[in-house]
Amino acid sequence: MLSRSVSFDQNHLPPGVDPPGRGDPERLGEYRVVGRIGAGGMGAVYAGLTESGQTAAVKVIHSQFAADPDFRARFAREVGLVSRVRATCAPAFLGADTAAATPWMATEYVPGLTLRQHVKGHGPLSGGMLTALAVGLAEALAAIHGAGVVHRDLKPGNVILSPDGPRVLDFGIARAADGTVLTATGGLHGTPGWIAPERYEGAEATGYSDMFAWGGLLAYAATGRDPFGGGTVEGIIHRSRNEEPDLDGVPERLLGLVRRALAKVPGERPRADEALAELTRGWSATRIMPGGAMPPTLVGDQGQGTHPTRIVSELLATEWTAVADPGVRRVRGPRRALWLSAAAAVLVVVLVGGLLYSDRIPWGTGTPGDDGTNTAAEETEEADGPLVRTDPEDAEAVVAEAVDLMYAASDYVYRHEYKVDQEGGDPSPFVKEYTEDPVRALQSKSYGPFGSSVVLQHGDDLEETVNGWIDHPDEGAAPVLQYFAAEDGSGNDEDPRDGLDWGLELILEPGAEIEYQGRSRVPYETEFWDVPTSYGLEFEEAEGHLYSGTYVEVQEEDEEVEPVTVSFDLWLDDEGYPLRLADTGIYERADSEYLGTTFTTIRNYTFNEPRDIHIPEESEILPEHPGVN
């Protein structure tokens, strides 16, 4: 059984599909691009439409991978395997061109919310819906594994709850990334919390690895909680490798199978076809047949009967009852928020003011009408994610909008701290404060072991510059800032926000993986600098929306430096502004004395809170540097 045909065009798109943006292709093979579904580390996915009206989800590979002949060969092999997958709960393969200038692959378009979106918006699954999810995912994995494919990144965001049943998306292409910048530095393709423990030990991904994620998906669907909790990437990885999953609330009929699937040892997990047979056998045994007939006998290790996969369509038709067709909505033009320059973003805020805030609504809380309103959103007391213009699960778009918001802010505090592990020397922190009221001013402080230097720029164009120095005071003594005349050219910030998006922009680069983890406390107490660097600029305890993942940092100016895979945690506030970005990586340069050394960067932000930056009188400014005491 395939999902019903979904009809859309460039003027009527399903929820979650945006009009194409600047730079998106107009055509891919026989498909005219009418919408953008999303993007990830390896490429982007578009809504495509043929001249005959056939719709498809068309996945396009990023150009840096397309330029790699080895990647193309692996991609072609994987497409060949994916084309053999036939399953009720996997999108049908429609075609591909692996030799095109921009390689692509088309599959059936599946409407609906992701599993995470559905659970967050409607609560956990139960009863027959939960059974149908377990069966559908097992059936899809059995077919995928039977074709020689391993998914490698099964997670709530890659499961769609369509009107006809669950669908497993994005399978089979991850292996093509092996040997590319995505994995060359020892990183794993996948999402912490859903990666099987043995993968962290260097083991190859197998069907048993996918079954670990399968067990986690059922636990999440039944309870609404990630089986290994949330928080930092490091914490999630530790729990998934060393602790038992949170299965409180998983119904008894599924508990044993889910617990086995989440076993730390791969061989103790069931295969997908074994799980499917057990689930369909249990469902068939409880059915009441018309006229009192006995349910059909399933094929077992011996004997003949009804194969488990033949039960799936009937089970879904009977049990899958709580998902409606999302339909389409009229669209008025391409989304532009993600392509605003910094200046344009400021202009938008000035012109529309509060409208920008009031238009940001939680995704999935109602069906937008042609007038752009969402009446159901008015009844929502608390948003499920940052109040952004796009789906909070569309992590890449959320981060892009956070950068736009950041560049439009009129006041901010930014603290940046960088540290190499114990053999790498002292940490390197600095703080920037900016305000436009009552006087435009930017104050930057850099902290060292003996004191702190200050550069203060002020004036309409930040053209006035004065320097300062703060001795590190004795314990209990108040710090004293002494100003002195600046040398020409000492104020070197072309824009007061230069550098704030460093790290954030890397998350938006190809090769990054990012996923929404929900709401959590921002761990400000973990800074590693023992001097009171902020001097009154401490960040108040807060909660934020956590996005976690990895990005690849490439030192283009130095070819001897190997690309580094960096793990990050990003917290945003309820309006979508950055609160904290913490990332960790390991030096890979072969000739570096720091080879294998861990580095950590912490960036804390506060936006749109008035700053009191003192502008010194001429009498306060010394003629020269006061020196170091």
Side-chain angles (χ1 to χ4, degrees):
M1 178 186 73
L2 297 177
S3 89
R4 69 193 68 176
S5 175
V6 180
S7 177
F8 58 72
D9 57 39
Q10 66 271 24
N11 297 317
H12 300 83
L13 295 175
V17 180
D18 290 308
R22 185 177 65 188
D24 286 336
E26 295 183 359
R27 180 171 291 275
L28 295 165
E30 63 177 319
Y31 296 97
R32 181 162 54 93
V33 173
V34 298
R36 182 183 178 94
I37 298 173
M42 293 178 60
V45 184
Y46 297 100
L49 186 68
T50 67
E51 295 300 326
S52 63
Q54 182 188 47
T55 59
V58 187
K59 183 162 191 173
V60 176
I61 301 304
H62 283 314
S63 58
Q64 75 267 32
F65 300 130
D68 181 352
D70 291 337
F71 176 86
R72 278 184 175 268
R74 291 192 297 271
F75 179 66
R77 288 194 296 270
E78 291 301 301
V79 167
L81 293 175
V82 169
S83 67
R84 293 158 42 188
V85 174
R86 299 288 187 274
T88 298
C89 293
F93 175 83
L94 299 178
D97 187 349
T98 60
T102 304
W104 57 268
M105 179 183 73
T107 60
E108 168 197 12
Y109 174 78
V110 180
L113 300 177
T114 67
L115 175 60
R116 190 174 294 278
Q117 290 169 334
H118 184 93
V119 169
K120 287 173 59 180
H122 304 283
L125 304 184
S126 60
M129 284 290 291
L130 184 60
T131 299
L133 177 72
V135 168
L137 298 185
E139 185 258 1
L141 287 178
I144 291 168
H145 296 165
V149 178
V150 178
H151 191 295
R152 293 179 173 228
D153 194 20
L154 191 60
K155 58 187 178 183
N158 278 335
V159 174
I160 293 287
L161 305 193
S162 82
D164 297 318
R167 296 290 187 273
V168 174
L169 305 185
D170 215 18
F171 56 87
I173 303 303
R175 186 162 57 183
D178 286 354
T180 70
V181 71
L182 285 176
T183 56
T185 59
L188 292 178
H189 186 95
T191 304
W194 310 97
I195 298 174
E198 67 274 10
R199 298 285 286 121
Y200 295 107
E201 304 296 333
E204 287 292 322
T206 66
Y208 290 118
S209 308
D210 284 347
M211 288 306 292
F212 181 86
W214 177 85
L217 289 174
L218 295 188
Y220 172 74
T223 68
R225 303 184 305 274
D226 287 4
F228 297 101
T232 64
V233 170
E234 290 78 8
I236 294 171
I237 292 174
H238 173 80
R239 289 190 293 273
S240 66
R241 297 180 68 181
N242 301 289
E243 298 181 9
E244 293 301 311
D246 176 7
L247 301 182
D248 186 20
V250 177
E252 190 66 31
R253 70 181 187 281
L254 294 175
L255 184 59
L257 192 57
V258 169
R259 182 173 284 121
R260 284 159 46 204
L262 288 167
K264 306 299 184 189
V265 179
E268 295 178 2
R269 302 170 200 150
R271 298 194 312 266
D273 59 342
E274 292 173 338
L276 178 62
E278 184 173 330
L279 290 164
T280 51
R281 184 183 301 113
W283 182 77
S284 294
T286 61
R287 293 169 59 202
I288 300 176
M289 303 295 290
M294 295 294 292
T297 302
L298 296 178
V299 171
D301 294 335
Q302 299 180 2
Q304 300 297 316
T306 303
H307 195 278
T309 56
R310 297 185 180 180
I311 303 294
V312 173
S313 294
E314 183 178 353
L315 187 152
L316 291 176
T318 303
E319 306 291 356
W320 194 260
T321 59
V323 177
D325 190 331
V328 297
R329 92 285 191 200
R330 183 175 178 81
V331 295
R332 299 183 182 277
R335 182 178 66 192
R336 303 187 184 278
L338 301 185
W339 305 103
L340 292 174
S341 67
V346 172
L347 180 61
V348 167
V349 172
V350 171
L351 292 178
V352 304
L355 181 62
L356 188 64
Y357 176 84
S358 62
D359 277 353
R360 297 192 211 114
I361 56 177
W363 188 266
T365 54
T367 301
D370 286 351
D371 61 354
T373 62
N374 187 329
T375 56
E378 297 174 0
E379 302 172 3
T380 302
E381 295 183 0
E382 182 177 352
D384 287 332
L387 298 178
V388 294
R389 287 180 176 270
T390 187
D391 177 2
E393 295 287 342
D394 188 353
E396 184 182 57
V398 171
V399 174
E401 185 168 336
V403 173
D404 283 341
L405 292 171
M406 178 180 67
Y407 269 87
S410 59
D411 303 89
Y412 71 78
V413 177
Y414 170 60
R415 181 169 67 195
H416 180 118
E417 300 183 62
Y418 175 85
K419 185 178 185 299
V420 180
D421 66 10
Q422 293 301 319
E423 296 182 0
D426 293 322
S428 176
F430 66 86
V431 170
K432 296 176 75 170
E433 289 182 278
Y434 175 73
T435 187
E436 295 177 356
D437 184 26
V439 177
R440 191 168 186 234
L442 172 68
Q443 184 168 257
S444 303
K445 299 179 182 179
S446 299
Y447 298 90
F450 303 106
S452 306
S453 61
V454 177
V455 176
L456 171 63
Q457 299 168 250
H458 60 94
D460 291 342
D461 296 319
L462 300 179
E463 70 279 6
E464 300 292 335
T465 303
V466 63
N467 289 344
W469 178 258
I470 306 173
D471 282 328
H472 285 172
D474 296 332
E475 185 174 353
V480 176
L481 171 58
Q482 294 179 286
Y483 296 99
F484 60 97
E487 297 179 2
D488 291 340
S490 60
N492 54 11
D493 281 280
E494 296 181 2
D495 185 284
R497 296 166 185 81
D498 280 350
L500 265 66
D501 60 353
W502 187 79
L504 290 170
E505 64 181 8
L506 294 177
I507 295 173
L508 296 173
E509 288 294 314
E513 298 282 348
I514 177 172
E515 184 174 12
Y516 182 47
Q517 303 291 344
R519 194 176 182 90
S520 71
R521 186 177 61 84
V522 183
Y524 287 133
E525 72 279 7
T526 61
E527 277 79 6
F528 36 67
W529 182 248
D530 57 4
V531 174
T533 55
S534 294
Y535 293 132
L537 303 183
E538 285 77 14
F539 291 79
E540 297 181 359
E541 184 173 342
E543 282 195 351
H545 301 276
L546 174 60
Y547 290 81
S548 298
T550 60
Y551 63 78
V552 177
E553 184 175 350
V554 180
Q555 300 292 335
E556 296 180 354
E557 70 279 4
D558 190 342
E559 296 181 356
E560 295 183 0
V561 178
E562 298 291 338
V564 178
T565 299
V566 180
S567 299
F568 70 86
D569 294 304
L570 169 65
W571 284 264
L572 305 179
D573 69 14
D574 287 338
E575 295 183 23
Y577 288 89
L579 287 170
R580 179 182 175 94
L581 174 60
D583 49 33
T584 301
I586 300 177
Y587 283 116
E588 299 288 343
R589 180 169 174 168
D591 63 347
S592 171
E593 61 180 303
Y594 299 137
L595 177 64
T597 300
T598 300
F599 62 88
T600 302
T601 306
I602 305 291
R603 307 172 186 89
N604 293 323
Y605 314 80
T606 296
F607 291 96
N608 296 325
E609 290 187 5
R611 309 308 309 167
D612 183 14
I613 300 178
H614 176 65
I615 308 298
E617 301 288 342
E618 186 174 347
S619 61
E620 299 177 70
I621 302 174
L622 301 175
E624 58 184 14
H625 195 300
V628 179
N629 293 335

